[in-house]
Amino acid sequence: MTFAAFGSSRPSQEDRAEKLHLEEARLNQLRQEEDELLKKIQSVTAALSEEESLMDRLNQQEDVLSRLPQRDIYLGLLTASSRNAPAWDIKSRVVYPMDGGTALITFDEDAVAKQILKMKKHIVKLECGHRITVEAQPVQLVVPKQVEMDSVICSRRILVSDLPQMEAESLVDKLGFHFSKKANGGGEVESCWLDKDSGTVVILFSEEGIVDALVLKEFHNIEVHKATHKVRVGPFINGQMSRLEACSRTVLLTGILDVLDQDTLQDILAVHFQKGSNGGGEILQCVYNPVGQCTSAIFTG
């Protein structure tokens, strides 16, 4: 009988080192993949959080617009319906006080006004060989063409509308007292005033955390002359106008000496700045205000 002997050889040190190296490389690759996955998860989580925040703001804005008082909102000389989107096409009327010794010239083209401003100093010839030097400056005037409202809801103010007919001071006192009571969902009132333009009352609380519940309830009963009157509570919006277009065709001339009568000097200025050789062009209007006088120019658009 013949026996065959099979011997088992142990892995060499080089084999073990190579295997260990491969395992370490595999582990490093897994760690890299894990890091990349974590970064993707963080990125997706951040994007989702941003989307949720945006949705919250949109829902809040929608709720604000639905709760605004059923009246027009007065914005200086601009009036727009509160139910519209917060952007209005408007016609502006801006009053610009003029200092003495100045003139306003409106050109037909923006490029001419820019050229006059670029030249800055202008020598204007008068009668009998006399001259005056005037300086062209941009008109620091903002003429709104389209108004948008960047709105932020105030956390301490409410807007009370649908008011009862009563004397203004008594009404303010009544509402301030009513909403100062915790039993009515209110709190300490810092100030309370009537906005006559909008016909609403604004109440400012001393602390935060009061407004949300009052706005959520929306309609509140108050006692007026032994009767119950329902007022409407909405959020107070801090608004800021944006998309304002500056006046670009009008220049301000300063340093005009009082050497001639108003009409004569105004005509001389208009003729000078109409000439292309002086950097000018077609003029739509020229207004001169002599030294020592007060006047205002009205810009409409």
Side-chain angles (χ1 to χ4, degrees), residues 92-154:
S92 60
R93 184 178 184 274
V94 181
V95 179
Y96 182 84
M98 295 180 63
D99 294 330
T102 63
L104 288 171
I105 298 182
T106 300
F107 295 96
D108 184 53
E109 297 180 0
D110 295 0
V112 176
K114 290 180 180 178
Q115 176 64 24
I116 294 296
L117 291 172
K118 185 178 179 180
M119 294 171 65
K120 196 170 184 179
K121 297 285 187 178
H122 299 265
I123 298 175
V124 180
K125 294 180 181 180
L126 305 179
E127 300 171 348
C128 302
H130 296 293
R131 301 180 179 184
I132 60 172
T133 301
V134 299
E135 182 175 329
Q137 299 179 3
V139 176
Q140 300 300 321
L141 172 72
V142 178
V143 180
K145 298 296 183 182
Q146 185 185 54
V147 173
E148 291 182 355
M149 295 296 293
D150 297 329
S151 57
V152 177
I153 297 174
C154 182

Side-chain angles (χ1 to χ4, degrees), residues 252-266:
L252 174 68
L253 301 178
T254 62
I256 304 174
L257 300 177
D258 189 15
V259 292
L260 295 172
D261 65 86
Q262 182 175 356
D263 291 338
T264 301
L265 191 47
Q266 182 170 291

